[in-house]
Amino acid sequence: MDLNKWLLGSGCCTALGVVAGFIYLYGNPADSALMNPQWYQQPLLLVFTGMLLLALVLNVFAVFGIEFRREPGVLSQPEPSAQHNFQRLALQFLQQQSAHKLHGVDNYYLKAEYGVLYYLHSPADGPLDIVLLRQIFQQMLRHQCHSALAIVPERLDSPAQIFALEANIRVLDTQKLQNWLKA
């Protein structure tokens, strides 16, 4: 799930909770609140509380970037032909950009005259997250680069996007890479 789906779910839960709260308050005049409880007030109060708690939990998950996979415990590995296609496209892109491999550091390429660092993501590194983006940023500082391009096989769907934008790291997935090479 991506951040937009989390926020949509959270917004729906909040809206349902607020609607249940308004129905509860509208059907419950202040002077007879303790005297004559209606049959629907208790379920509405439970729905209101439950929806607000669920919205809070979804917001916390979205802030921390927690994602749930449909198949827990199994990392989604791209099929070998897709991985090979990605590697071929990425290397073609790096060659087109005249980027040179950094010595002693795997997966990093540099175009020093423009101050651009390139990171080629490999499946062994796991998903591109804030930890890897911090490593890319550290390499940018080490080599005095003003920007970086992270070339990844899959789209980045988490709060790591925000960190990447703030660190001036542009993320190119396979689709963007194909479009770039066609242009």
Side-chain angles (χ1 to χ4, degrees):
M1 276 192 180
D2 63 12
L3 183 61
N4 293 333
K5 290 180 183 176
W6 280 115
L7 293 176
L8 178 65
S10 174
C12 289
C13 290
T14 303
L16 287 173
V18 169
V19 167
F22 279 133
I23 292 172
Y24 177 78
L25 291 176
Y26 179 72
N28 187 14
D31 58 345
S32 68
L34 298 174
M35 299 296 187
N36 188 12
Q38 301 291 328
W39 64 272
Y40 60 87
Q41 289 176 339
Q42 187 66 27
L44 280 177
L45 186 59
L46 290 173
V47 168
F48 175 74
T49 305
M51 288 294 116
L52 288 181
L53 287 175
L54 184 60
L56 176 68
V57 168
L58 288 175
N59 284 331
V60 168
F61 285 162
V63 166
F64 290 112
I66 296 174
E67 297 181 10
F68 292 101
R69 305 268 183 216
R70 291 185 183 152
E71 301 170 8
V74 178
L75 293 175
S76 59
Q77 293 290 332
E79 57 189 59
S81 63
Q83 182 62 31
H84 178 70
N85 186 36
F86 166 72
Q87 287 288 339
R88 183 184 55 77
L89 286 172
L91 292 174
Q92 181 183 354
F93 172 77
L94 290 169
Q95 184 180 18
Q96 179 185 4
Q97 297 298 314
S98 303
H100 302 287
K101 186 164 179 59
L102 286 176
H103 298 290
V105 184
D106 290 336
N107 302 335
Y108 287 95
Y109 297 82
L110 180 66
K111 189 169 185 178
E113 58 268 9
Y114 293 110
V116 178
L117 180 74
Y118 298 92
Y119 169 74
L120 178 57
H121 188 73
S122 70
D125 293 337
L128 185 65
D129 58 0
I130 292 178
V131 174
L132 280 172
L133 288 170
R134 284 183 186 145
Q135 291 174 359
I136 295 170
F137 186 68
Q138 289 171 353
Q139 290 293 329
M140 283 173 59
L141 294 176
R142 183 173 295 137
H143 296 286
Q144 299 177 350
C145 296
H146 61 82
S147 66
L149 278 162
I151 305 168
V152 297
E154 295 179 6
R155 200 172 129 243
L156 186 62
D157 290 329
S158 68
Q161 289 175 320
I162 297 168
F163 182 82
L165 288 172
E166 290 176 357
N168 203 19
I169 300 171
R170 185 172 176 190
V171 179
L172 290 177
D173 60 10
T174 304
Q175 183 65 35
K176 290 179 185 176
L177 192 58
Q178 287 174 343
N179 293 340
W180 186 299
L181 290 171
K182 288 179 184 176

